[in-house]
Amino acid sequence: MSFGPELFTAMMRSFEEMVLPCRIGKIETGDTWAAFRLSSGKDRWLLFSWNPGSYGCGIVGEDGISSLKKTRVSRSSFGEGLKRNFQNASILSVRQLNSDRVLVFGAERLVGAGFPVRLSLVFEGTERNSNLVILDETGSILEPAKHIHGDMNRYRMIIPGVAYTPPPPMKGKHLGETGGLEGPEDLRELRGIGKGLSGLLTRSWDGRPVGYWNDMLARLLSGKEQGLILQRHGPLLTVFPEPLPFCEVLAGPILERCGEEVLSSYFLGQRERILSGVKKALEKEIRSRKRHRDGLENQIRLSERGSEFLKMGNLLLAAAEQVPPRAREVELQDWETGEPVLVPLDENLSASRNAERYFRKYKKGKVDREAVKKAIGGIDEGITELLEQLEALESIDDPDLLSVSARDVMEWLAPKRTAGGRKQKSAPPPHIRLENGGDLIYIGLNARGNRHVTFKVAAPTDLWFHVHEIPGAHVILRTAGKDQVPADSSLEIAASLAAWFSRAKNSGKIQVDYTEKKNVRSIPGSAIAHVTYVHPRTILVSPDRWKEFPEAARSRQLEDRI
């Protein structure tokens, strides 16, 4: 995601008109974000993110902050500094520095007998160098989110106790100093617009007269224009008085939409990091299991040549004196058949040691071949299940559900143990519960969640749903009473959820099988969530059909607690 300075100008105006002045209530922080609950409206939070991949600021709601809180790993000293300085303070003003991507929020906090302490909060939305800095009333730095030392940046230092220095000012002239632009090449020398918007205007320049562009830019950069249109072009967010070619118009208030974009970008980055971490762990486990399978397959190969190894060992012991030193092979006569036998040798070993080597291969190959083949089949089932786990995670859009499900998979691969070496008591595998009228619907979020809802939650007469012959979630539909029939809408919702949490999520209508849970059986020796079932009925449903039942959708509850 990328912001241009023209968007910061528009955000400054929106803050002045729609938000300020306001009082700061609660403050929440994470590793790369901070959020202030504002008194200027119910359920309004001012969000700052200095994450290089999702930097920006805007207004978000309570749900967004709740999701953010679940992603944080630890509390930072900077977060405590924000609370210490800005808790119960009032934000009174905002200004943009040097027509750049820097906003300075002026705040005041009352201490003691009503004595005012003035502070500033500087947000620098400068991609990988984005930062949030607390300043005292003299402009000295109290605490920055990211410390920048002299060996990192020759132009300025961002450390406590040093006077704040803004980023290097943009080159070029203000529009009023240019006397008007004559061509698209002049855009590069214009202060107040970024490279992204400059590139878009250059592509569209020949389609309009010069006067039109000068008028549009004057309205854009005046800081007084109302009704600027927020637009997106790839990762770029920008504003302009009219819709631009090649851009998607984003409807709604600028600050709220910017907040949504910051959250969306942040959660997308979180999603990629979570999936990457789980993928590495799963690939490591798969490699380990493949090595185990290779060892078992080698045992089968050895068992097929067991009698040959035994004969070679006995021949070497019986005719050790006929084996020349450092020979790589020797031809010996089989005393049973009289036929010559060519025996490969390790040239670094004596005849007796080579014989011992063949006896070891013989012993290693003395296995129950059918049992070993069965074990290989079980390993292959397990590898398939691990791959399905990654697919199941990739089908989850909700950041909360993804985080919990991924954590469960990681704990399944590497269970935590107590000091005594015992496994820690774990929460139930993650699954979701929804309500539709009096009916309850349970959805497993991964293999362990599937097994849990099917064999721990479901009663024998509950209905069990699964996409036909495609990996996906197990879904259980339980009626309000033992002899009651589920509502038709509940059948649709349950089937739709089975399709939504499956590999067929992006399909049109998909076939979903359902049957009573008593008709579902675990497959002995197979992966933990692989089952077989009989007497199925079928329903054809769209994967997103459940969203058309808002009351049921709103009732969704993650059940991952003991």
Side-chain angles (χ1 to χ4, degrees):
M1 189 169 65
S2 175
F3 291 96
E6 70 281 350
L7 180 55
F8 276 61
T9 304
M11 287 195 293
M12 177 188 68
R13 178 176 176 82
S14 294
F15 275 120
E16 290 174 336
E17 293 183 347
M18 309 299 295
V19 179
L20 304 183
C22 64
R23 185 177 176 84
I24 298 172
K26 192 174 183 180
I27 297 177
E28 296 288 354
T29 62
D31 292 340
T32 58
W33 60 269
F36 301 163
R37 177 182 278 163
L38 304 179
S39 62
S40 57
K42 186 179 179 181
D43 190 30
R44 299 185 84 196
W45 290 75
L46 172 55
L47 173 66
F48 298 99
S49 171
W50 52 94
N51 186 303
S54 57
Y55 69 93
C57 66
I59 300 297
V60 300
E62 189 75 41
D63 290 343
I65 299 303
S66 296
S67 296
L68 275 175
K69 287 162 61 177
K70 294 177 182 178
T71 68
R72 64 185 175 196
V73 179
S74 61
R75 302 182 188 275
S76 64
S77 59
F78 176 70
E80 296 305 311
L82 282 175
K83 294 177 182 179
R84 186 169 57 252
N85 287 283
F86 288 95
Q87 194 87 47
N88 298 319
S90 295
I91 303 178
L92 304 176
S93 64
V94 61
R95 59 191 175 93
Q96 183 182 17
L97 286 185
N98 300 327
S99 301
D100 204 352
R101 294 173 295 174
V102 181
L103 294 178
V104 181
F105 294 84
E108 183 178 273
R109 179 169 56 91
L110 299 180
V111 297
F115 181 76
V117 175
R118 291 180 174 81
L119 300 161
S120 296
L121 187 65
V122 182
F123 175 65
E124 300 178 352
T126 49
E127 301 179 0
R128 64 185 180 88
N129 296 316
S130 296
N131 210 341
L132 192 63
V133 186
I134 305 171
L135 307 182
D136 66 15
E137 60 183 342
T138 68
S140 294
I141 298 173
L142 293 176
E143 188 68 39
K146 295 194 297 190
H147 290 228
I148 301 175
H149 296 273
D151 57 344
M152 301 167 60
N153 189 317
R154 296 182 180 180
Y155 180 80
R156 62 180 187 150
M157 292 193 297
I158 305 295
I159 57 176
V162 173
Y164 174 72
T165 301
M170 297 179 64
K171 296 180 180 180
K173 299 178 180 180
H174 291 287
L175 182 63
E177 300 171 340
T178 64
L181 305 187
E182 297 180 359
E185 64 278 359
D186 296 335
L187 289 168
R188 291 191 294 269
E189 302 300 323
L190 184 62
R191 294 183 66 176
I193 69 169
K195 293 180 180 179
L197 178 57
S198 175
L200 290 172
L201 298 182
T202 298
R203 292 172 64 182
S204 307
W205 189 273
D206 292 338
R208 297 278 191 170
V210 173
Y212 168 84
W213 292 117
N214 279 289
D215 179 55
M216 289 294 107
L217 289 169
R219 292 169 58 187
L220 172 67
L221 300 175
S222 68
K224 300 177 181 180
E225 174 73 12
Q226 294 183 347
L228 290 175
I229 300 172
L230 183 65
Q231 306 175 53
R232 175 167 51 208
H233 178 74
L236 172 69
L237 281 186
T238 187
V239 287
F240 206 69
E242 294 185 359
L244 289 167
F246 321 112
C247 288
E248 173 192 0
V249 172
L250 303 179
I254 286 178
L255 292 179
E256 280 75 2
R257 285 311 306 258
C258 285
E260 290 176 15
E261 294 296 321
V262 171
L263 279 180
S264 175
S265 180
Y266 179 86
F267 288 130
L268 179 61
Q270 282 287 111
R271 173 185 176 82
E272 292 174 351
R273 285 190 291 274
I274 289 172
L275 290 177
S276 176
V278 174
K279 185 176 181 180
K280 287 180 181 178
L282 288 173
E283 288 175 345
K284 181 179 179 181
E285 180 67 18
I286 289 172
R287 287 195 298 270
S288 175
R289 296 191 184 193
K290 284 183 175 180
R291 287 194 296 269
H292 186 198
R293 183 185 63 190
D294 291 343
L296 294 177
E297 289 176 342
N298 187 50
Q299 280 190 333
I300 291 180
R301 288 193 295 270
L302 292 176
S303 69
E304 293 171 348
R305 299 182 61 191
S307 59
E308 179 184 354
F309 292 144
L310 180 62
K311 177 171 290 187
M312 288 181 177
N314 287 327
L315 287 175
L316 284 172
L317 284 182
E321 69 281 355
Q322 300 179 28
V323 179
R326 303 192 64 79
R328 295 186 177 181
E329 59 183 26
V330 64
E331 187 175 272
L332 301 174
Q333 188 176 27
D334 185 345
W335 58 77
E336 293 179 346
T337 64
E339 296 294 325
V341 176
L342 186 65
V343 181
L345 301 172
D346 184 335
E347 60 184 307
N348 296 314
L349 301 179
S350 64
S352 60
R353 296 290 298 278
N354 270 293
E356 290 175 8
R357 187 166 64 94
Y358 279 112
F359 290 144
R360 284 196 299 272
K361 287 185 177 182
Y362 167 70
K363 290 180 180 179
K364 193 172 183 179
K366 290 179 68 176
V367 294
D368 183 340
R369 293 173 60 185
E370 292 306 315
V372 173
K373 288 180 180 179
K374 187 176 180 180
I376 291 174
I379 291 174
D380 288 337
E381 284 270 1
I383 291 173
T384 299
E385 184 180 46
L386 291 175
L387 294 173
E388 290 174 359
Q389 289 301 287
L390 185 59
E391 287 187 359
L393 291 175
E394 289 174 339
S395 73
I396 300 175
D397 294 327
D398 186 285
D400 294 348
L401 301 185
L402 177 63
S403 179
V404 170
S405 301
R407 183 169 64 247
D408 183 78
V409 171
M410 298 295 278
E411 290 177 358
W412 174 40
L413 294 175
K416 295 181 179 179
R417 299 183 181 273
T418 63
R422 296 181 180 179
K423 291 183 181 179
Q424 289 184 357
K425 186 177 181 180
S426 59
H431 58 287
I432 310 169
R433 186 185 73 181
L434 281 78
E435 296 183 25
N436 184 53
D439 300 332
L440 296 178
I441 302 170
Y442 298 88
I443 308 103
L445 293 178
N446 57 23
R448 296 207 310 158
N450 286 340
R451 185 172 182 85
H452 181 78
V453 299
T454 299
F455 297 109
K456 297 291 185 182
V457 173
T461 55
D462 290 343
L463 293 180
W464 178 90
F465 294 75
H466 196 280
V467 175
H468 182 69
E469 295 185 350
I470 296 175
H474 295 197
V475 177
I476 300 298
L477 172 57
R478 174 178 293 171
T479 60
K482 182 176 180 181
D483 299 321
Q484 293 191 20
V485 177
D488 290 343
S489 59
S490 296
L491 289 172
E492 280 193 85
I493 294 170
S496 173
L497 287 165
W500 180 264
F501 289 97
S502 78
R503 188 185 292 174
K505 176 179 180 177
N506 297 318
S507 304
K509 288 196 172 182
I510 191 71
Q511 180 179 337
V512 176
D513 295 338
Y514 68 101
T515 186
E516 291 187 333
K517 184 266 170 185
K518 63 185 179 183
N519 297 324
V520 181
R521 295 285 183 273
S522 178
I523 302 174
S526 70
I528 63 171
H530 285 189
V531 298
T532 183
Y533 55 93
V534 295
H535 309 309
R537 287 165 283 177
T538 297
I539 183 171
L540 199 63
V541 67
S542 170
D544 57 1
R545 173 67 172 146
W546 64 276
K547 295 182 179 180
E548 300 176 23
F549 299 86
E551 290 187 9
R554 284 195 297 269
S555 74
R556 187 180 70 179
Q557 180 178 344
L558 175 64
E559 298 201 333
D560 67 328
R561 302 291 184 263
I562 296 175

